[in-house]
Amino acid sequence: MREIGVGIIGVGVVGSSVVKILRENEEIISARIGAKLVVKRGVVKNISKARDVVLSLDTDEDALINDPNVQIVVELMGGVDDAYRIAKKVLKSNKSLVTANKAMLAYYRYELEQIAKDNFIGFEASVCGGIPIIKALKDGLSANHILSLRGILNGTSNYILSQMSQQKISFEAALKSAQNLGYAEADPSLDINGQDAGHKLLILASLAYGINAKPEEIIIEGITKIHGDDIVFAQDFGFVIKLLGIAKKVHNEVELRVHPVLIDENKMLAKVDGVMNAISVIGDCVGETLYYGAGAGGDATASAVISDLIEIARGKNSAMLGFEKDHFSLKLRDKGCIQSRYYLRMSAFDRVGVLTKIAGILSENNISVEMFLQKQAKDEIVRLCIITHISLEADIVLALQKIDQQEFIVEESFFIRIEDFK
Amino acid sequence: MREIGVGIIGVGVVGSSVVKILRENEEIISARIGAKLVVKRGVVKNISKARDVVLSLDTDEDALINDPNVQIVVELMGGVDDAYRIAKKVLKSNKSLVTANKAMLAYYRYELEQIAKDNFIGFEASVCGGIPIIKALKDGLSANHILSLRGILNGTSNYILSQMSQQKISFEAALKSAQNLGYAEADPSLDINGQDAGHKLLILASLAYGINAKPEEIIIEGITKIHGDDIVFAQDFGFVIKLLGIAKKVHNEVELRVHPVLIDENKMLAKVDGVMNAISVIGDCVGETLYYGAGAGGDATASAVISDLIEIARGKNSAMLGFEKDHFSLKLRDKGCIQSRYYLRMSAFDRVGVLTKIAGILSENNISVEMFLQKQAKDEIVRLCIITHISLEADIVLALQKIDQQEFIVEESFFIRIEDFK
């Protein structure tokens, strides 16, 4: 049987899983492609570190890339610039590349597509681990204009929000629990500040819209300001709070943003709990489809890496980002143009006239109120929660600034956008 | 730009959608493939029927198949033997075939794969309309052994069960509502008796397991015997009733069956309501993934048909059913070997000793009881509902036969299998 040589640069959790699964599932994988995928060698930074993998390892990436027995290079080292340098080297050596590196792709996906020419670049593992969402957008939904895409793209954040909601615990306690279970790193910043989800959203947006945006150009907000009260208030109004990556076509522009949202508790995405990921995609022909699964973990991510190896072995070859040529020039939408319903949370001294004043400021700023809830927080202090009708984000920001200048306000006010599925 | 000619045999709802979408989304589809898909002609049975499509139509399938301007033939005529005859003709003319015909594939998919050789056969539209589940199994999850697969594969049945559950109405009333909304045909048999779901399950099982089974060889039961009381009882126990297609690997055998089941109300599949479809797939590396969307409708099905046209245009070519060679010989599991927990429903006169007698018969047949509920049904008559521990189906059937011979039983007893996700 024909043998296809694979080299792995970065043999950590995912790399070890790739080696293990290619061996354990060798029979069925070979049957699926009519050829055998064999990992020939790996490159690691620290050769003396003990590893749970039987594989010829060294520290020389060039030797691996130039090895005539290696036809496909798998990059699992992480980081941005070093990984990009190596990826370029692989493609220039006329070999195929498989990568799980979302941060690198968030910056350099179009550059890589240019260099790739006839070499395949697989990156299914870069977004939501084992869920085949890259292939769904590239192949499965290829007849559609994607009207919108909304994803729970970060399992750590989703676990924290689920715990806050189900166990009625604080953000800090939920984060602690995530760290204890290994769902969050010692430094959890990238997960909880939305950056990780942002990288994934940019990759998905390229497949859906052919748009080349960078992390700095889009709204990326995390979940650190979400309060237990917000979750309870949201539930009272029939909503669930989720951190979503959102891509949406509005005329000739694309809105891209990552931030917490309130969504209707009856939507499928609202039902995705714990560390699981899911992406809802609305196409103009197909309507809503949804993809659900584990977004991280060695074996789940390796499942995606190997699915790319199999596609390369089967000889598939189409444009990396799904478009063979530019079709129309969708532009990134200005951040200030966002319109949605909003959830507003304020804390104020419990005095006569407070409500009148707040209502006045909102109406002066073109904001009309859909639902209103007031609860005693502590002695003399009340929490006010408001759901607005559709408003312009610029108006919301301005109104909250004015409200926060009032002497009866006791802490900074806060808003969360409400995501209606249209 | 290179032009690829398409011919459509059977221009009904789906065929008209294919023509419409290829025109409306021409720009983005051409960008995705670097070539243009053009529908050249169509074949219909009744040429004089008014149609909402602008296309050169005639009744001569041979002229279409032999037209040198047609490179891909789309078969949307339905039926089994005639469609198979035409599909063979297409492949023998060395053209690619795209079909939405699940009934034909349930019988002849392996014969077609044999004949296809180097021609591509696309059949994404044959299972669950717009959900790209064929591609997910063939490509996305290709690194995995599929441990099990469970799908809500028929929207009509799911709509009926959802209505019975949410509106507390009878099967008959829910069916009527489905017919009024166009979700069920005037003759709804194929949908509600499980046959349609069975066809789809067999296609999915080939992709997951490489197994060639026919509809007659597997358990296919519909939803017509489900009573409103069953749904209420299930809810009391924390379950939802769904019609599932189930494929499961048990050692060297594959269990294939379609029937109503009770599933834990917290599973994602339990949350799929109305006419929507969803498939949960558990792989040995990836864990559970789930795919959700519209299972029927002209545009959603056309979305799948066109995704296949695009794959062909991109030059993809791999074995129709995902395996380039036989890998291991999984056998179809004997129907009698099924083990699960069971929900049992009985109606009896409200007399002393009834419970003792029933409990005795169950225990004589190796069946132990996990939960028990008794409710007054009418004067003098009670409904007994039992959830058993894991039992052998043969024992359940025998025990219910014995129970139904008792003089205190007032109507035939009924069981529904409980599907635990393992």
Side-chain angles (χ1 to χ4, degrees), chain A residues 25 31-32 138-139 142-144 289-290 292 303 314 324-325 327, chain B residues 1 25 31-32 138-139 142-144 289-290 292 303 314 324-325:
Chain A
N25 289 4
R32 284 194 169 125
K138 206 168 153 176
D139 300 323
S142 52
N144 293 260
T289 57
L290 179 136
Y292 165 94
S303 166
R314 282 172 174 169
E324 293 290 340
K325 63 182 201 62
H327 57 123
Chain B
M1 192 183 290
N25 289 6
R32 283 191 170 127
K138 205 168 153 177
D139 300 323
S142 53
N144 293 261
T289 57
L290 179 135
Y292 165 92
S303 166
R314 283 172 172 168
E324 293 290 341
K325 64 180 204 61

PDB file of all heavy atoms in Angstrom, chain A residues 25 31-32 138-139 142-144 289-290 292 303 314 324-325 327, chain B residues 1 25 31-32 138-139 142-144 289-290 292 303 314 324-325:
ATOM      1  N   ASN A  25      -5.938   3.718  14.890  1.00  0.00           N
ATOM      2  CA  ASN A  25      -6.993   3.623  13.876  1.00  0.00           C
ATOM      3  C   ASN A  25      -6.418   3.403  12.476  1.00  0.00           C
ATOM      4  O   ASN A  25      -7.060   3.709  11.477  1.00  0.00           O
ATOM      5  CB  ASN A  25      -7.859   4.890  13.898  1.00  0.00           C
ATOM      6  CG  ASN A  25      -8.729   4.974  15.137  1.00  0.00           C
ATOM      7  OD1 ASN A  25      -8.639   4.121  16.018  1.00  0.00           O
ATOM      8  ND2 ASN A  25      -9.588   5.982  15.208  1.00  0.00           N
ATOM      9  N   ALA A  31      -8.131   2.214   5.053  1.00  0.00           N
ATOM     10  CA  ALA A  31      -9.255   1.789   4.209  1.00  0.00           C
ATOM     11  C   ALA A  31      -9.949   2.994   3.603  1.00  0.00           C
ATOM     12  O   ALA A  31     -10.407   2.966   2.460  1.00  0.00           O
ATOM     13  CB  ALA A  31     -10.250   0.969   5.029  1.00  0.00           C
ATOM     14  N   ARG A  32     -10.010   4.079   4.362  1.00  0.00           N
ATOM     15  CA  ARG A  32     -10.718   5.255   3.856  1.00  0.00           C
ATOM     16  C   ARG A  32      -9.950   5.956   2.741  1.00  0.00           C
ATOM     17  O   ARG A  32     -10.542   6.645   1.921  1.00  0.00           O
ATOM     18  CB  ARG A  32     -10.991   6.235   5.004  1.00  0.00           C
ATOM     19  CG  ARG A  32     -12.148   5.763   5.889  1.00  0.00           C
ATOM     20  CD  ARG A  32     -12.661   6.848   6.827  1.00  0.00           C
ATOM     21  NE  ARG A  32     -13.924   6.396   7.435  1.00  0.00           N
ATOM     22  CZ  ARG A  32     -14.163   6.332   8.748  1.00  0.00           C
ATOM     23  NH1 ARG A  32     -13.249   6.711   9.598  1.00  0.00           N
ATOM     24  NH2 ARG A  32     -15.328   5.910   9.195  1.00  0.00           N
ATOM     25  N   LYS A 138     -16.738  25.482   3.753  1.00  0.00           N
ATOM     26  CA  LYS A 138     -16.023  25.437   2.478  1.00  0.00           C
ATOM     27  C   LYS A 138     -16.761  24.562   1.455  1.00  0.00           C
ATOM     28  O   LYS A 138     -16.815  24.903   0.279  1.00  0.00           O
ATOM     29  CB  LYS A 138     -14.623  24.869   2.742  1.00  0.00           C
ATOM     30  CG  LYS A 138     -13.573  25.290   1.756  1.00  0.00           C
ATOM     31  CD  LYS A 138     -12.194  24.913   2.272  1.00  0.00           C
ATOM     32  CE  LYS A 138     -11.254  24.701   1.108  1.00  0.00           C
ATOM     33  NZ  LYS A 138      -9.885  24.418   1.564  1.00  0.00           N
ATOM     34  N   ASP A 139     -17.299  23.468   1.925  1.00  0.00           N
ATOM     35  CA  ASP A 139     -17.911  22.504   1.007  1.00  0.00           C
ATOM     36  C   ASP A 139     -19.420  22.361   1.215  1.00  0.00           C
ATOM     37  O   ASP A 139     -20.203  22.479   0.283  1.00  0.00           O
ATOM     38  CB  ASP A 139     -17.265  21.128   1.191  1.00  0.00           C
ATOM     39  CG  ASP A 139     -15.764  21.153   0.923  1.00  0.00           C
ATOM     40  OD1 ASP A 139     -15.343  21.888   0.005  1.00  0.00           O
ATOM     41  OD2 ASP A 139     -15.013  20.455   1.623  1.00  0.00           O
ATOM     42  N   SER A 142     -21.575  25.470   0.384  1.00  0.00           N
ATOM     43  CA  SER A 142     -20.952  26.285  -0.661  1.00  0.00           C
ATOM     44  C   SER A 142     -21.939  26.902  -1.641  1.00  0.00           C
ATOM     45  O   SER A 142     -21.582  27.802  -2.386  1.00  0.00           O
ATOM     46  CB  SER A 142     -19.897  25.460  -1.411  1.00  0.00           C
ATOM     47  OG  SER A 142     -20.457  24.243  -1.865  1.00  0.00           O
ATOM     48  N   ALA A 143     -23.186  26.453  -1.655  1.00  0.00           N
ATOM     49  CA  ALA A 143     -24.178  27.055  -2.557  1.00  0.00           C
ATOM     50  C   ALA A 143     -24.749  28.355  -2.011  1.00  0.00           C
ATOM     51  O   ALA A 143     -25.403  29.090  -2.731  1.00  0.00           O
ATOM     52  CB  ALA A 143     -25.324  26.074  -2.808  1.00  0.00           C
ATOM     53  N   ASN A 144     -24.502  28.620  -0.751  1.00  0.00           N
ATOM     54  CA  ASN A 144     -25.195  29.702  -0.039  1.00  0.00           C
ATOM     55  C   ASN A 144     -24.414  31.004   0.063  1.00  0.00           C
ATOM     56  O   ASN A 144     -23.192  30.995   0.173  1.00  0.00           O
ATOM     57  CB  ASN A 144     -25.483  29.267   1.408  1.00  0.00           C
ATOM     58  CG  ASN A 144     -26.487  28.145   1.512  1.00  0.00           C
ATOM     59  OD1 ASN A 144     -27.647  28.373   1.792  1.00  0.00           O
ATOM     60  ND2 ASN A 144     -26.043  26.908   1.274  1.00  0.00           N
ATOM     61  N   THR A 289     -28.352  26.121  10.051  1.00  0.00           N
ATOM     62  CA  THR A 289     -27.768  24.827  10.413  1.00  0.00           C
ATOM     63  C   THR A 289     -26.895  25.066  11.634  1.00  0.00           C
ATOM     64  O   THR A 289     -26.440  26.189  11.866  1.00  0.00           O
ATOM     65  CB  THR A 289     -26.902  24.230   9.289  1.00  0.00           C
ATOM     66  OG1 THR A 289     -25.871  25.160   8.951  1.00  0.00           O
ATOM     67  CG2 THR A 289     -27.721  23.913   8.050  1.00  0.00           C
ATOM     68  N   LEU A 290     -26.676  24.020  12.414  1.00  0.00           N
ATOM     69  CA  LEU A 290     -25.871  24.181  13.623  1.00  0.00           C
ATOM     70  C   LEU A 290     -24.934  22.989  13.780  1.00  0.00           C
ATOM     71  O   LEU A 290     -25.304  21.850  13.478  1.00  0.00           O
ATOM     72  CB  LEU A 290     -26.786  24.330  14.833  1.00  0.00           C
ATOM     73  CG  LEU A 290     -26.078  24.480  16.184  1.00  0.00           C
ATOM     74  CD1 LEU A 290     -26.724  25.592  17.014  1.00  0.00           C
ATOM     75  CD2 LEU A 290     -26.127  23.181  16.972  1.00  0.00           C
ATOM     76  N   TYR A 292     -22.145  21.160  16.498  1.00  0.00           N
ATOM     77  CA  TYR A 292     -21.915  21.100  17.946  1.00  0.00           C
ATOM     78  C   TYR A 292     -20.868  20.050  18.262  1.00  0.00           C
ATOM     79  O   TYR A 292     -20.844  18.990  17.615  1.00  0.00           O
ATOM     80  CB  TYR A 292     -23.246  20.749  18.597  1.00  0.00           C
ATOM     81  CG  TYR A 292     -23.199  20.279  20.039  1.00  0.00           C
ATOM     82  CD1 TYR A 292     -23.372  21.181  21.086  1.00  0.00           C
ATOM     83  CD2 TYR A 292     -23.023  18.932  20.352  1.00  0.00           C
ATOM     84  CE1 TYR A 292     -23.357  20.754  22.402  1.00  0.00           C
ATOM     85  CE2 TYR A 292     -23.006  18.489  21.671  1.00  0.00           C
ATOM     86  CZ  TYR A 292     -23.180  19.411  22.692  1.00  0.00           C
ATOM     87  OH  TYR A 292     -23.170  18.991  23.996  1.00  0.00           O
ATOM     88  N   SER A 303      -8.428  14.613  15.803  1.00  0.00           N
ATOM     89  CA  SER A 303      -9.434  14.126  14.845  1.00  0.00           C
ATOM     90  C   SER A 303      -9.520  15.075  13.652  1.00  0.00           C
ATOM     91  O   SER A 303      -9.600  14.644  12.492  1.00  0.00           O
ATOM     92  CB  SER A 303     -10.788  14.014  15.562  1.00  0.00           C
ATOM     93  OG  SER A 303     -11.852  13.874  14.652  1.00  0.00           O
ATOM     94  N   ARG A 314      -6.257  11.948  -0.188  1.00  0.00           N
ATOM     95  CA  ARG A 314      -7.248  11.638  -1.221  1.00  0.00           C
ATOM     96  C   ARG A 314      -7.084  12.537  -2.444  1.00  0.00           C
ATOM     97  O   ARG A 314      -7.833  12.419  -3.419  1.00  0.00           O
ATOM     98  CB  ARG A 314      -8.657  11.837  -0.659  1.00  0.00           C
ATOM     99  CG  ARG A 314      -9.145  10.705   0.221  1.00  0.00           C
ATOM    100  CD  ARG A 314     -10.462  11.110   0.877  1.00  0.00           C
ATOM    101  NE  ARG A 314     -11.055  10.000   1.623  1.00  0.00           N
ATOM    102  CZ  ARG A 314     -12.084  10.139   2.457  1.00  0.00           C
ATOM    103  NH1 ARG A 314     -12.635  11.314   2.621  1.00  0.00           N
ATOM    104  NH2 ARG A 314     -12.558   9.091   3.098  1.00  0.00           N
ATOM    105  N   GLU A 324     -11.944  30.625  -5.287  1.00  0.00           N
ATOM    106  CA  GLU A 324     -10.917  30.543  -6.322  1.00  0.00           C
ATOM    107  C   GLU A 324     -10.581  31.925  -6.866  1.00  0.00           C
ATOM    108  O   GLU A 324      -9.540  32.138  -7.452  1.00  0.00           O
ATOM    109  CB  GLU A 324     -11.372  29.636  -7.469  1.00  0.00           C
ATOM    110  CG  GLU A 324     -11.519  28.163  -7.083  1.00  0.00           C
ATOM    111  CD  GLU A 324     -10.178  27.457  -6.806  1.00  0.00           C
ATOM    112  OE1 GLU A 324      -9.136  27.945  -7.254  1.00  0.00           O
ATOM    113  OE2 GLU A 324     -10.205  26.412  -6.123  1.00  0.00           O
ATOM    114  N   LYS A 325     -11.502  32.846  -6.742  1.00  0.00           N
ATOM    115  CA  LYS A 325     -11.232  34.220  -7.190  1.00  0.00           C
ATOM    116  C   LYS A 325     -12.069  35.192  -6.366  1.00  0.00           C
ATOM    117  O   LYS A 325     -13.067  34.810  -5.768  1.00  0.00           O
ATOM    118  CB  LYS A 325     -11.529  34.373  -8.679  1.00  0.00           C
ATOM    119  CG  LYS A 325     -12.984  34.156  -9.069  1.00  0.00           C
ATOM    120  CD  LYS A 325     -13.149  34.278 -10.564  1.00  0.00           C
ATOM    121  CE  LYS A 325     -14.597  34.593 -10.957  1.00  0.00           C
ATOM    122  NZ  LYS A 325     -15.163  35.842 -10.489  1.00  0.00           N
ATOM    123  N   HIS A 327     -14.865  37.657  -5.486  1.00  0.00           N
ATOM    124  CA  HIS A 327     -16.188  37.710  -6.103  1.00  0.00           C
ATOM    125  C   HIS A 327     -16.846  39.071  -5.950  1.00  0.00           C
ATOM    126  O   HIS A 327     -17.221  39.717  -6.892  1.00  0.00           O
ATOM    127  CB  HIS A 327     -17.091  36.602  -5.573  1.00  0.00           C
ATOM    128  CG  HIS A 327     -17.264  36.612  -4.096  1.00  0.00           C
ATOM    129  ND1 HIS A 327     -18.489  36.697  -3.508  1.00  0.00           N
ATOM    130  CD2 HIS A 327     -16.354  36.560  -3.095  1.00  0.00           C
ATOM    131  CE1 HIS A 327     -18.318  36.679  -2.195  1.00  0.00           C
ATOM    132  NE2 HIS A 327     -17.051  36.597  -1.925  1.00  0.00           N
TER     133      HIS A 327
ATOM    134  N   MET B   1     -14.698  32.302 -18.568  1.00  0.00           N
ATOM    135  CA  MET B   1     -14.674  31.321 -17.467  1.00  0.00           C
ATOM    136  C   MET B   1     -15.194  29.960 -17.951  1.00  0.00           C
ATOM    137  O   MET B   1     -16.176  29.882 -18.676  1.00  0.00           O
ATOM    138  CB  MET B   1     -15.550  31.827 -16.314  1.00  0.00           C
ATOM    139  CG  MET B   1     -15.368  31.031 -15.031  1.00  0.00           C
ATOM    140  SD  MET B   1     -16.484  31.581 -13.712  1.00  0.00           S
ATOM    141  CE  MET B   1     -15.795  33.167 -13.305  1.00  0.00           C
ATOM    142  N   ASN B  25     -27.426  32.901  -7.168  1.00  0.00           N
ATOM    143  CA  ASN B  25     -26.134  32.930  -6.461  1.00  0.00           C
ATOM    144  C   ASN B  25     -24.966  32.655  -7.407  1.00  0.00           C
ATOM    145  O   ASN B  25     -23.901  32.210  -6.982  1.00  0.00           O
ATOM    146  CB  ASN B  25     -26.147  31.908  -5.314  1.00  0.00           C
ATOM    147  CG  ASN B  25     -27.052  32.340  -4.172  1.00  0.00           C
ATOM    148  OD1 ASN B  25     -27.746  33.342  -4.282  1.00  0.00           O
ATOM    149  ND2 ASN B  25     -27.050  31.581  -3.079  1.00  0.00           N
ATOM    150  N   ALA B  31     -17.300  32.167  -8.019  1.00  0.00           N
ATOM    151  CA  ALA B  31     -16.088  32.570  -7.293  1.00  0.00           C
ATOM    152  C   ALA B  31     -15.547  31.399  -6.490  1.00  0.00           C
ATOM    153  O   ALA B  31     -14.340  31.217  -6.366  1.00  0.00           O
ATOM    154  CB  ALA B  31     -16.393  33.746  -6.379  1.00  0.00           C
ATOM    155  N   ARG B  32     -16.454  30.612  -5.951  1.00  0.00           N
ATOM    156  CA  ARG B  32     -15.999  29.489  -5.128  1.00  0.00           C
ATOM    157  C   ARG B  32     -15.325  28.392  -5.933  1.00  0.00           C
ATOM    158  O   ARG B  32     -14.532  27.624  -5.398  1.00  0.00           O
ATOM    159  CB  ARG B  32     -17.168  28.924  -4.317  1.00  0.00           C
ATOM    160  CG  ARG B  32     -17.515  29.805  -3.117  1.00  0.00           C
ATOM    161  CD  ARG B  32     -18.494  29.156  -2.149  1.00  0.00           C
ATOM    162  NE  ARG B  32     -18.575  29.962  -0.924  1.00  0.00           N
ATOM    163  CZ  ARG B  32     -19.694  30.431  -0.382  1.00  0.00           C
ATOM    164  NH1 ARG B  32     -20.853  30.139  -0.928  1.00  0.00           N
ATOM    165  NH2 ARG B  32     -19.655  31.154   0.717  1.00  0.00           N
ATOM    166  N   LYS B 138     -17.962  11.513   5.756  1.00  0.00           N
ATOM    167  CA  LYS B 138     -16.978  11.075   4.763  1.00  0.00           C
ATOM    168  C   LYS B 138     -15.635  11.778   4.956  1.00  0.00           C
ATOM    169  O   LYS B 138     -14.586  11.164   4.810  1.00  0.00           O
ATOM    170  CB  LYS B 138     -17.548  11.408   3.375  1.00  0.00           C
ATOM    171  CG  LYS B 138     -17.031  10.574   2.254  1.00  0.00           C
ATOM    172  CD  LYS B 138     -17.873  10.799   0.994  1.00  0.00           C
ATOM    173  CE  LYS B 138     -17.048  10.521  -0.217  1.00  0.00           C
ATOM    174  NZ  LYS B 138     -17.833  10.643  -1.466  1.00  0.00           N
ATOM    175  N   ASP B 139     -15.685  13.056   5.302  1.00  0.00           N
ATOM    176  CA  ASP B 139     -14.456  13.847   5.388  1.00  0.00           C
ATOM    177  C   ASP B 139     -14.161  14.332   6.811  1.00  0.00           C
ATOM    178  O   ASP B 139     -13.068  14.139   7.318  1.00  0.00           O
ATOM    179  CB  ASP B 139     -14.557  15.075   4.470  1.00  0.00           C
ATOM    180  CG  ASP B 139     -14.773  14.686   3.020  1.00  0.00           C
ATOM    181  OD1 ASP B 139     -14.188  13.668   2.590  1.00  0.00           O
ATOM    182  OD2 ASP B 139     -15.535  15.369   2.315  1.00  0.00           O
ATOM    183  N   SER B 142     -13.335  11.577   9.407  1.00  0.00           N
ATOM    184  CA  SER B 142     -12.713  10.410   8.775  1.00  0.00           C
ATOM    185  C   SER B 142     -11.606   9.770   9.602  1.00  0.00           C
ATOM    186  O   SER B 142     -11.194   8.648   9.317  1.00  0.00           O
ATOM    187  CB  SER B 142     -12.181  10.792   7.383  1.00  0.00           C
ATOM    188  OG  SER B 142     -11.337  11.921   7.471  1.00  0.00           O
ATOM    189  N   ALA B 143     -11.125  10.439  10.655  1.00  0.00           N
ATOM    190  CA  ALA B 143     -10.090   9.830  11.504  1.00  0.00           C
ATOM    191  C   ALA B 143     -10.681   8.847  12.511  1.00  0.00           C
ATOM    192  O   ALA B 143      -9.949   8.088  13.131  1.00  0.00           O
ATOM    193  CB  ALA B 143      -9.332  10.925  12.257  1.00  0.00           C
ATOM    194  N   ASN B 144     -11.995   8.890  12.681  1.00  0.00           N
ATOM    195  CA  ASN B 144     -12.644   8.178  13.779  1.00  0.00           C
ATOM    196  C   ASN B 144     -13.230   6.819  13.415  1.00  0.00           C
ATOM    197  O   ASN B 144     -13.722   6.623  12.312  1.00  0.00           O
ATOM    198  CB  ASN B 144     -13.828   9.016  14.309  1.00  0.00           C
ATOM    199  CG  ASN B 144     -13.382  10.299  14.971  1.00  0.00           C
ATOM    200  OD1 ASN B 144     -13.301  10.373  16.180  1.00  0.00           O
ATOM    201  ND2 ASN B 144     -13.075  11.321  14.167  1.00  0.00           N
ATOM    202  N   THR B 289     -20.361  14.805  18.342  1.00  0.00           N
ATOM    203  CA  THR B 289     -20.624  16.014  17.550  1.00  0.00           C
ATOM    204  C   THR B 289     -22.075  15.944  17.121  1.00  0.00           C
ATOM    205  O   THR B 289     -22.653  14.858  17.046  1.00  0.00           O
ATOM    206  CB  THR B 289     -19.734  16.120  16.297  1.00  0.00           C
ATOM    207  OG1 THR B 289     -19.913  14.941  15.496  1.00  0.00           O
ATOM    208  CG2 THR B 289     -18.261  16.246  16.663  1.00  0.00           C
ATOM    209  N   LEU B 290     -22.660  17.094  16.831  1.00  0.00           N
ATOM    210  CA  LEU B 290     -24.065  17.107  16.430  1.00  0.00           C
ATOM    211  C   LEU B 290     -24.276  18.090  15.292  1.00  0.00           C
ATOM    212  O   LEU B 290     -23.660  19.152  15.266  1.00  0.00           O
ATOM    213  CB  LEU B 290     -24.950  17.465  17.626  1.00  0.00           C
ATOM    214  CG  LEU B 290     -26.449  17.544  17.357  1.00  0.00           C
ATOM    215  CD1 LEU B 290     -27.234  16.831  18.473  1.00  0.00           C
ATOM    216  CD2 LEU B 290     -26.918  18.984  17.255  1.00  0.00           C
ATOM    217  N   TYR B 292     -27.308  19.981  12.904  1.00  0.00           N
ATOM    218  CA  TYR B 292     -28.713  20.371  13.041  1.00  0.00           C
ATOM    219  C   TYR B 292     -29.124  21.238  11.867  1.00  0.00           C
ATOM    220  O   TYR B 292     -28.333  22.066  11.400  1.00  0.00           O
ATOM    221  CB  TYR B 292     -28.841  21.140  14.354  1.00  0.00           C
ATOM    222  CG  TYR B 292     -30.096  21.954  14.560  1.00  0.00           C
ATOM    223  CD1 TYR B 292     -31.197  21.397  15.203  1.00  0.00           C
ATOM    224  CD2 TYR B 292     -30.172  23.280  14.131  1.00  0.00           C
ATOM    225  CE1 TYR B 292     -32.354  22.153  15.415  1.00  0.00           C
ATOM    226  CE2 TYR B 292     -31.326  24.034  14.345  1.00  0.00           C
ATOM    227  CZ  TYR B 292     -32.403  23.469  14.990  1.00  0.00           C
ATOM    228  OH  TYR B 292     -33.541  24.209  15.199  1.00  0.00           O
ATOM    229  N   SER B 303     -29.624  23.325  -1.758  1.00  0.00           N
ATOM    230  CA  SER B 303     -28.331  23.728  -1.192  1.00  0.00           C
ATOM    231  C   SER B 303     -27.378  22.535  -1.169  1.00  0.00           C
ATOM    232  O   SER B 303     -26.192  22.651  -1.498  1.00  0.00           O
ATOM    233  CB  SER B 303     -28.556  24.284   0.227  1.00  0.00           C
ATOM    234  OG  SER B 303     -27.349  24.391   0.935  1.00  0.00           O
ATOM    235  N   ARG B 314     -14.907  21.239  -8.559  1.00  0.00           N
ATOM    236  CA  ARG B 314     -13.581  21.436  -7.972  1.00  0.00           C
ATOM    237  C   ARG B 314     -12.670  20.239  -8.183  1.00  0.00           C
ATOM    238  O   ARG B 314     -11.515  20.242  -7.758  1.00  0.00           O
ATOM    239  CB  ARG B 314     -13.709  21.678  -6.465  1.00  0.00           C
ATOM    240  CG  ARG B 314     -14.168  23.070  -6.077  1.00  0.00           C
ATOM    241  CD  ARG B 314     -14.453  23.124  -4.583  1.00  0.00           C
ATOM    242  NE  ARG B 314     -14.728  24.489  -4.132  1.00  0.00           N
ATOM    243  CZ  ARG B 314     -15.228  24.779  -2.928  1.00  0.00           C
ATOM    244  NH1 ARG B 314     -15.502  23.809  -2.074  1.00  0.00           N
ATOM    245  NH2 ARG B 314     -15.455  26.024  -2.578  1.00  0.00           N
ATOM    246  N   GLU B 324     -12.040   3.354   0.354  1.00  0.00           N
ATOM    247  CA  GLU B 324     -11.382   2.949  -0.889  1.00  0.00           C
ATOM    248  C   GLU B 324     -11.251   1.430  -0.966  1.00  0.00           C
ATOM    249  O   GLU B 324     -11.079   0.861  -2.026  1.00  0.00           O
ATOM    250  CB  GLU B 324      -9.998   3.596  -0.998  1.00  0.00           C
ATOM    251  CG  GLU B 324     -10.029   5.114  -1.161  1.00  0.00           C
ATOM    252  CD  GLU B 324     -10.554   5.573  -2.520  1.00  0.00           C
ATOM    253  OE1 GLU B 324     -10.569   4.767  -3.467  1.00  0.00           O
ATOM    254  OE2 GLU B 324     -10.958   6.744  -2.615  1.00  0.00           O
ATOM    255  N   LYS B 325     -11.255   0.771   0.177  1.00  0.00           N
ATOM    256  CA  LYS B 325     -11.189  -0.690   0.171  1.00  0.00           C
ATOM    257  C   LYS B 325     -11.877  -1.238   1.418  1.00  0.00           C
ATOM    258  O   LYS B 325     -12.072  -0.522   2.396  1.00  0.00           O
ATOM    259  CB  LYS B 325      -9.735  -1.156   0.100  1.00  0.00           C
ATOM    260  CG  LYS B 325      -8.883  -0.767   1.308  1.00  0.00           C
ATOM    261  CD  LYS B 325      -7.480  -1.286   1.127  1.00  0.00           C
ATOM    262  CE  LYS B 325      -6.752  -1.457   2.455  1.00  0.00           C
ATOM    263  NZ  LYS B 325      -7.314  -2.384   3.428  1.00  0.00           N
TER     264      LYS B 325
END
